[in-house]
Amino acid sequence: MTPSTDAVETDRALKAKHRKMWALGNYPAVASQLIPSLGPVLVEACGVRVGRRVLDVAAGSGNAAIPAAATGAEVVALDLTPELFDAGRERAAEEGVAVEWREGDAEALPFPDEDFDTVMSCVGIMFAPHHQAAADEALRVLRPGGTVGLISWTPTGAIGELFKTMKPYAPTPPPGAQPPPLWGTLDHVRELFGDRVTDLDAQTRTVHIGLFQEPADCREFFKNNYGPTIAIYRNIADDPDRVRALDGALDALAQRCLEDGGTDGMDWEYLLVTARKA
């Protein structure tokens, strides 16, 4: 069934909004200062190696694409927000690896069927608003027997709680858009992939974040660097009471995370999933 003109325009506007949001602040700083270890974890879990053709969906600045390329694999890094590629290109050049950078939508991948040996995403594809469409596209471009690998923030972990905390201050999401941390729920991933995959393995892990010593440090880092947080603060910028309330809520969340993480930082929970296309 061909989408109506109105539906196409609505989707185009939504994707433009997402692109603008992720271009806010400095996501490459988030990736490099907070979670640089996640990309290599995903690459290892997917068994990426020389000779493999790899797609990193919603790659950002290449947190997973660059270590994948370092194995000798042929890597394409795709993202809706090409403004993030400059930092990725610079880092790839520093490390002496080749990555092909492509602008594109996770829900409409610009590649033929069965084009890749590995399709992976490191806290990226989870932010595509229509989860089933993104999952269908990831499997469409993957060859039979190929590996799909995902790292996603869990709903109950620090970033899942961050989105829950920010939700009351955010605009109402468009119809059909789903919360990103659902990808961090195994039952949801099983439902999205169904019987199109085999050998599905899921592990709940944590990544240690040692950058923040005080709640305000964490809050200000996200307010200055993380696109979704910046967008929500802009949404309430004309209401000082709501700004103060969100400041307080984020500080309280950061305090809980610091207490749970012990004396030297926070532990952020994520779900690592790998599977083979049937």
Side-chain angles (χ1 to χ4, degrees):
M1 182 176 178
T2 303
S4 68
T5 301
D6 287 348
V8 170
E9 290 302 319
T10 298
D11 186 69
R12 184 176 293 125
L14 176 60
K15 299 302 169 55
K17 183 178 180 181
H18 273 235
R19 172 178 171 171
K20 181 179 179 180
M21 177 184 72
W22 287 107
L24 295 172
N26 187 357
Y27 185 76
V30 176
S32 64
Q33 296 182 41
L34 297 183
I35 54 171
S37 64
L38 290 189
V41 165
L42 182 59
V43 169
E44 181 179 2
C46 290
V48 175
R49 59 185 183 272
V50 64
R52 294 299 178 96
R53 179 162 164 80
V54 178
L55 174 63
D56 184 6
V57 181
S61 51
N63 214 27
I66 292 171
T71 70
E74 176 189 348
V75 179
V76 179
L78 175 135
D79 202 280
L80 190 65
T81 308
E83 290 88 343
L84 304 177
F85 292 165
D86 288 345
R89 289 190 180 99
E90 182 177 346
R91 183 181 157 211
E94 290 172 354
E95 301 200 12
V97 300
V99 175
E100 178 185 347
W101 304 90
R102 289 282 299 272
E103 179 181 352
D105 182 356
E107 298 177 10
L109 295 173
F111 307 105
D113 296 353
E114 302 178 6
D115 195 26
F116 294 92
D117 300 299
T118 303
V119 175
M120 62 183 186
S121 186
C122 183
V123 295
I125 198 172
M126 64 181 290
F127 292 101
H130 308 110
H131 296 184
Q132 191 64 64
D136 291 348
E137 281 292 276
L139 292 183
R140 179 184 66 79
V141 302
L142 182 64
R143 67 166 179 81
T147 299
V148 57
L150 308 169
I151 285 180
S152 306
W153 301 120
T154 66
T156 54
I159 301 300
E161 290 291 339
L162 171 70
F163 278 91
K164 187 184 301 182
T165 299
M166 295 191 301
K167 183 178 179 180
Y169 303 90
T172 302
Q178 294 175 282
L182 274 179
W183 276 96
T185 303
L186 178 56
D187 286 346
H188 186 63
V189 177
R190 288 187 186 277
E191 182 178 351
L192 293 174
F193 289 154
D195 61 4
R196 295 176 294 173
V197 302
T198 63
D199 302 320
L200 189 149
D201 181 74
Q203 301 175 32
T204 301
R205 299 185 181 184
T206 60
V207 57
H208 189 71
I209 309 297
L211 186 64
F212 310 121
Q213 302 303 314
E214 298 292 336
D217 299 335
C218 183
R219 182 229 312 152
E220 288 304 307
F221 184 90
F222 276 84
K223 286 177 71 171
N224 291 321
N225 295 290
Y226 195 54
T229 305
I230 295 169
I232 286 174
Y233 271 97
R234 289 187 177 183
N235 183 58
I236 60 173
D238 60 351
D239 190 335
D241 289 339
R242 297 192 78 198
V243 170
R244 283 191 292 271
L246 181 53
D247 281 349
L250 293 183
D251 283 353
L253 172 60
Q255 182 63 47
R256 293 197 302 273
C257 291
L258 286 166
E259 291 171 355
D260 292 342
T263 59
D264 61 344
M266 307 174 175
D267 293 317
W268 292 0
E269 186 179 80
Y270 65 90
L271 182 70
L272 170 64
V273 172
T274 57
R276 297 195 180 279
K277 182 177 177 179

